[in-house]
Amino acid sequence: MMRYLLTLLLAIYIPFASSNTETDIQKSMTDFYSFYLHEYDKTPSGDIIKMDKMHQWVSKKLLARMAAIYEMPEQELLEADYFIYAQDYDPAWIPRMKVSPAYRDGDSMKLDVWLGIQGNKLKHLQVWTHKEDGEWKIWRVIDAGNHIEQKLY
């Protein structure tokens, strides 16, 4: 009897436990994009990636790779900002931003981000995170709407 009760409790608990991870990542990436878009308006991308706060959301390897690229003379490897896949930005994008709950993709958790851009359109990004130092951190971003990827990982 006790075994059945334990099985029942686990069956009830497990779906809620996994949804916490999915929504925790969703909240974390919403916080990241809110921070990043506010900062992007006033700080060059090469300086944003040097901010300590970026380590909260972005993998060490990706930040190191981006820092190396920004240090290159006349670097033109990044045709657009890596995290938003755009060269221009309008603060009006922030209130129209949407972030999906994360879902498993191999060893990563992947989620969709939509930024409200000009012409009442949405820019669709896909963001991959993996566990680093106990936190889910970005290691890959693609422009899913235009099927473009700047491979930095």
Side-chain angles (χ1 to χ4, degrees):
M1 178 69 175
M2 190 63 151
R3 188 178 346 191
Y4 293 116
L5 183 58
L6 184 58
T7 303
L8 178 63
L9 288 174
L10 283 174
I12 293 170
Y13 172 76
I14 288 174
F16 292 108
S18 65
S19 70
N20 285 340
T21 298
E22 294 151 356
T23 56
D24 287 349
I25 296 169
Q26 177 186 28
K27 182 185 179 325
S28 178
M29 292 302 107
T30 300
D31 292 346
F32 167 74
Y33 273 97
S34 293
F35 162 79
Y36 193 81
L37 291 172
H38 278 98
E39 207 55 50
Y40 187 82
D41 194 31
K42 58 187 174 192
T43 308
S45 298
D47 293 338
I48 296 174
I49 63 160
K50 295 176 185 172
M51 293 179 162
D52 288 338
K53 194 161 179 101
M54 290 291 285
H55 291 275
Q56 179 179 340
W57 298 293
V58 182
S59 74
K60 293 174 190 171
K61 185 176 178 181
L62 180 57
L63 286 174
R65 179 72 178 127
M66 292 178 79
I69 290 170
Y70 282 118
E71 293 297 320
M72 292 177 183
E74 298 181 33
Q75 76 80 21
E76 294 177 1
L77 296 174
L78 298 178
E79 296 175 12
D81 181 83
Y82 184 74
F83 295 107
I84 63 172
Y85 278 85
Q87 293 176 340
D88 298 320
Y89 158 77
D90 183 338
W93 292 11
I94 297 170
R96 295 188 53 224
M97 176 180 63
K98 296 177 186 174
V99 179
S100 75
Y103 49 96
R104 185 141 314 269
D105 185 38
D107 292 339
S108 298
M109 293 295 280
K110 178 178 168 185
L111 48 98
D112 295 286
V113 176
W114 293 272
L115 303 176
I117 58 174
Q118 66 278 359
N120 209 23
K121 296 179 183 175
L122 295 172
K123 177 177 261 320
H124 180 201
L125 305 172
Q126 288 183 318
V127 178
W128 280 259
T129 64
H130 68 252
K131 203 97 178 220
E132 180 180 292
D133 300 329
E135 299 293 330
W136 290 93
K137 299 193 180 184
I138 299 170
W139 68 271
R140 178 182 181 199
V141 179
I142 68 167
D143 179 343
N146 294 311
H147 308 288
I148 298 170
E149 180 174 12
Q150 299 180 70
K151 294 185 178 186
L152 300 184
Y153 50 92

